């Protein structure tokens, strides 16, 4: 009893601390793509077990944040959202339609003309307009839905390269082109998707023999990486382009104000498969980004996406998904260490959940990726076969006849966890997702909120966008009043 009451007492003392007021000079948004409540719980246990603990008692870096809330993720036309519509909500403060990026619900998915006049700006753009440095870091393609929601306007999230836009819709610019030609003031851009920036038949600096560039390479003949370099050179801005871990490590953040890093032709590699000498981790990219951005006396805004949590779940490969979640938690821990808590608002949330569950009554410390246990025995269904603690509602892990898992290694990274409904790619889930917050004005995230509330608090806390100069009162006026 004493142990558990002491644990509760420690949490009580933390909760009794005065809400953090003040202005957020810096804002960092960590977005775990597909990191629903079950993913966080399973990821926490998994992280603890990697450290030799039972696991359930472990705390992820953001579990220690003082304030939490819930985000309602539905969008304008669907109960269960995708990463484009949700990204638009938590970046711009405006809910929209499925598959649409940086546009209000006036836009119709796939209709280029409908996007005209429907553009909505993100908190990244508000921050840049206020004189702050900005950055985007992801483990997916930098043109994928989540990172693109911070800078692009597209009636179709899949228009990442001009080759991917139907002939009838080519009045609209592709997402890669928008990043390079309409967002020249973004200081740090780190992720994958290099092939989307190069013309067809271009010799990639580090080609993947299994990747077909003909599917995505540019038809307009433009080399957007070279255009990025030329823009910075013409404006006498210190800049570097890198494509591997060594290049990133060699970047001198003191002497570099603009950094473009594209570390894979497609999405970056799963953490479980990452070549640690060639491809940087999410934490390493985050560290370099913060080092560059925090040189600005006006502060910065940074979006960091743990994007492949989502990919692991879609494939019913829970081991991959949970390792990606742990990698993002490590990036959060790094950010906490290298920033000043009194002036940096850090928010950790998800765009949506997945149909992912923790089942049964397993013993404490049972391997979360393993078979469920009941006392000293394996838990079994009415078919007398054991089952995994982790299960999916649908996906490619479906089997018409349940497999006898007694001698199956369910911890193998390629193992597909069982699913109830056959479908080629597991779907998102529609339940609320958590918001974890620390730093100035973080207490404002307590409660149940619409997803589009998230960037409005960031804008209020950092006095940008609608709360910038000449706009509505922001945290700065609140501080003066309380003083």
């Amino acid at each position: 009893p004493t142990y558990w009451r002491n644990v509760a007492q420690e949490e009580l003392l933390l909760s009794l601390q005065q809400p953090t007021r003040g202005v957020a000079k810096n804002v960092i948004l960590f977005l775990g793509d597909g990191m629903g409540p079950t993913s966080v719980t399973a990821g926490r246990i998994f992280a603890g077990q990697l450290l030799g603990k039972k696991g359930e008692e472990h705390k992820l870096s953001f579990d220690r944040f003082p304030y939490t809330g819930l985000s309602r993720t539905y969008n304008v036309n669907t109960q269960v959202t995708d990463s484009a519509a949700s990204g638009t909500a938590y970046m711009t403060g405006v809910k929209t339609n499925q598959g649409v990026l940086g546009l209000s619900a006036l836009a119709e998915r796939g209709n280029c003309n409908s996007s005209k006049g429907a553009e909505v700006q993100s908190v990244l753009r508000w921050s840049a307009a206020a004189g702050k440095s900005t950055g985007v870091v992801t483990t997916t393609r930098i043109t994928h839905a989540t990172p693109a929601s911070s800078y692009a306007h597209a009636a179709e999230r899949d228009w990442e390269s001009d080759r991917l836009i139907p002939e009838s819709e080519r009045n609209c610019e592709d997402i890669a082109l928008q990043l390079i030609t309409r967002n020249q003031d973004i200081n740090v851009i780190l992720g994958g998707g290099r092939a989307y920036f190069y013309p067809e038949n271009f010799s990639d600096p580090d080609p993947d023999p299994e990747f077909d560039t003909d599917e995505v390479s540019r038809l307009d003949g433009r080399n957007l990486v070279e255009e990025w370099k030329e823009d910075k050179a013409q404006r006498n801005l210190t800049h570097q382009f890198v494509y591997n871990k060594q290049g990133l490590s060699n970047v001198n953040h003191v002497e570099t104000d603009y950094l473009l890093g594209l570390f894979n032709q497609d999405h970056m590699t799963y953490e479980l498969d990452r070549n640690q000498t060639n491809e940087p981790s999410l934490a390493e990219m985050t560290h370099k980004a913060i080092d560059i951005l925090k040189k600005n006396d006006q502060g910065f805004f940074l979006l960091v996406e743990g994007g492949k949590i989502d990919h692991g779940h879609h494939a019913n490969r829970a081991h991959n998904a949970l390792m990606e979640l742990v990698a993002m938690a490590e990036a959060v821990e790094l950010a906490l260490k290298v920033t000043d808590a009194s002036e940096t608002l850090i928010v950790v949330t998800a765009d949506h959940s997945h149909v992912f569950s923790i089942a049964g009554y397993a013993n404490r410390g049972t391997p979360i990726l393993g078979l469920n246990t009941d006392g000293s025995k394996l838990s079994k269904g009415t078919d007398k076969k054991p089952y995994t603690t982790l299960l999916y509602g649908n996906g490619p892990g479906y089997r018409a006849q349940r497999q006898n898992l007694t001698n199956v290694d369910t911890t193998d990274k390629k193992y597909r966890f069982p699913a109830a409904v056959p479908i080629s790619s597991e779907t998102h889930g529609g339940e609320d997702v958590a918001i974890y917050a620390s730093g100035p004005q973080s207490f404002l995230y307590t409660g149940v909120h619409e997803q589009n509330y998230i960037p409005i608090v960031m804008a209020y806390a950092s006095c940008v966008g609608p709360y910038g100069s000449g706009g509505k009162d922001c945290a700065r006026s609140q501080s003066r009043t309380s003083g």
Side-chain angles (χ1 to χ4, degrees):
T2 302
Y3 170 79
W4 292 112
R5 286 169 184 155
N6 286 342
V7 169
Q9 171 70 4
E10 289 175 8
E11 291 191 18
L12 174 61
L13 292 176
L14 181 63
S15 299
L16 287 172
Q17 292 179 4
Q18 288 296 312
T20 306
R21 304 285 178 172
V23 178
K25 177 182 177 182
N26 314 310
V27 175
I28 306 176
L29 171 59
F30 282 93
L31 194 286
D33 198 312
M35 191 180 74
T38 305
S39 297
V40 174
T41 303
R44 176 190 303 130
I45 296 171
F46 178 64
Q49 291 178 348
L50 288 176
L51 297 173
K53 303 177 180 180
K54 287 183 179 293
E56 296 84 0
E57 76 286 7
H58 182 66
K59 287 191 176 183
L60 297 166
S61 53
F62 48 88
D63 280 329
R64 301 180 184 279
F65 282 15
Y67 300 103
T68 56
L70 291 174
S71 168
R72 295 152 53 106
T73 61
Y74 70 93
N75 61 42
V76 169
N77 65 338
T78 65
Q79 285 183 340
V80 180
T81 193
D82 80 315
S83 294
S86 58
T88 301
Y90 65 72
M91 288 302 298
T92 74
V94 177
K95 289 208 177 199
T96 192
N97 296 320
Q98 195 91 329
V100 171
L101 275 171
L103 302 170
S104 74
L106 291 172
E108 176 186 347
R109 184 173 188 176
N111 183 336
C112 172
N113 289 334
S114 71
S115 65
K116 309 304 180 185
E119 297 88 350
V120 287
Q121 297 300 323
S122 72
V123 63
L124 180 146
R125 299 296 339 147
W126 296 338
S127 299
K132 295 177 180 290
S133 293
T134 57
V136 185
V137 174
T138 181
T139 50
T140 68
R141 296 188 295 267
I142 197 69
T143 50
H144 209 234
T146 296
S149 68
S150 69
Y151 63 80
H153 309 284
E156 171 55 65
R157 57 174 288 176
D158 293 335
W159 292 349
E160 297 180 56
S161 162
D162 64 334
R163 184 183 289 272
L164 302 176
I165 303 179
E167 189 70 36
S168 61
E169 306 300 325
R170 290 213 176 131
N171 288 334
C172 279
E173 294 180 345
D174 63 273
I175 294 168
L177 183 64
Q178 290 184 49
L179 174 58
I180 299 303
T181 64
R182 298 191 180 276
N183 293 274
Q184 294 100 327
D185 54 356
I186 298 180
N187 298 79
V188 178
I189 302 167
L190 301 175
R194 204 164 53 239
Y196 294 70
F197 293 79
Y198 288 138
E200 54 185 344
N201 301 319
F202 179 80
S203 297
D204 188 271
D206 185 18
D208 178 353
E210 298 182 2
F211 183 74
D212 185 4
T213 59
D214 290 342
E215 297 291 326
V216 301
S217 60
R218 305 193 62 77
L219 294 175
D220 57 13
R222 299 175 71 164
N223 184 326
L224 297 183
V225 172
E226 288 303 314
E227 290 189 26
W228 180 87
K229 293 179 185 177
E230 291 166 5
D231 170 70
K232 304 302 176 283
Q234 288 172 3
R235 294 193 284 152
N236 294 315
L237 300 171
T238 57
H239 64 283
Q240 285 198 54
F241 165 68
V242 295
Y243 60 87
N244 58 27
K245 180 176 178 176
Q246 188 60 51
L248 182 68
S249 299
N250 291 342
V251 171
N252 184 328
H253 66 270
V254 176
E255 299 176 356
T256 305
D257 292 330
Y258 289 83
L259 175 62
L260 173 61
L262 299 173
F263 303 106
N264 200 302
Q265 290 177 283
D266 194 28
H267 296 301
M268 293 180 69
T269 312
Y270 280 119
E271 181 64 22
L272 279 170
D273 300 320
R274 180 170 64 89
N275 181 331
Q276 297 190 16
T277 62
N278 191 56
E279 197 169 292
S281 68
L282 186 61
E284 289 166 339
M285 291 191 290
T286 300
H287 196 172
K288 187 67 70 173
I290 292 173
D291 281 346
I292 291 174
L293 298 178
K294 69 182 182 182
K295 295 185 298 181
N296 187 340
D297 292 338
Q298 300 299 310
F300 66 82
F301 174 87
L302 174 62
L303 168 64
V304 180
E305 183 199 20
K308 293 179 71 70
I309 301 169
D310 179 72
H311 296 181
H313 282 319
H314 280 306
N316 287 162
R317 287 183 169 143
H319 195 168
N320 274 316
L322 299 188
M323 184 60 81
E324 294 298 312
L325 192 151
V326 171
M328 195 189 82
E330 291 172 352
V332 174
E333 184 72 37
L334 180 281
L336 288 168
K337 290 178 180 177
V338 299
T339 57
D340 184 340
S342 69
E343 61 183 23
T344 305
L345 171 62
I346 299 181
V347 178
V348 179
T349 190
D351 46 357
H352 53 74
S353 187
H354 276 270
V355 289
F356 180 55
S357 67
I358 301 176
Y361 306 96
N363 299 334
R364 276 286 306 276
T366 297
I368 193 65
L369 295 171
L371 299 177
N372 203 276
T373 58
D374 181 4
S376 60
K377 301 177 182 179
L378 291 176
S379 302
K380 294 183 179 181
T382 55
D383 59 2
K384 308 301 181 183
K385 296 176 183 178
Y387 58 88
T388 51
T389 298
L390 301 179
L391 299 166
Y392 286 93
N394 57 39
Y398 171 84
R399 293 179 176 85
Q401 291 293 324
R402 271 213 330 126
Q403 182 182 14
N404 187 334
L405 299 175
T406 303
N407 296 312
V408 174
D409 181 9
T410 60
T411 66
D412 186 285
K413 63 185 179 182
K414 292 186 178 180
Y415 176 72
R416 293 189 193 272
F417 280 73
V421 177
I423 190 171
S424 61
S425 178
E426 179 262 8
T427 67
H428 297 167
E431 65 269 28
D432 297 353
V433 297
I435 308 169
Y436 307 84
S438 174
Q441 308 300 326
S442 54
F443 67 96
L444 294 172
Y445 285 108
T446 302
V448 181
H449 302 286
E450 296 287 3
Q451 192 169 42
N452 58 295
Y453 173 80
I454 292 172
I456 300 304
V457 173
M458 294 176 184
Y460 173 82
S462 58
C463 297
V464 302
Y467 301 93
S469 179
K472 302 174 184 176
D473 285 347
C474 70
R476 187 173 293 115
S477 59
Q478 174 202 83
S479 300
R480 284 198 298 266
T481 302
S482 61

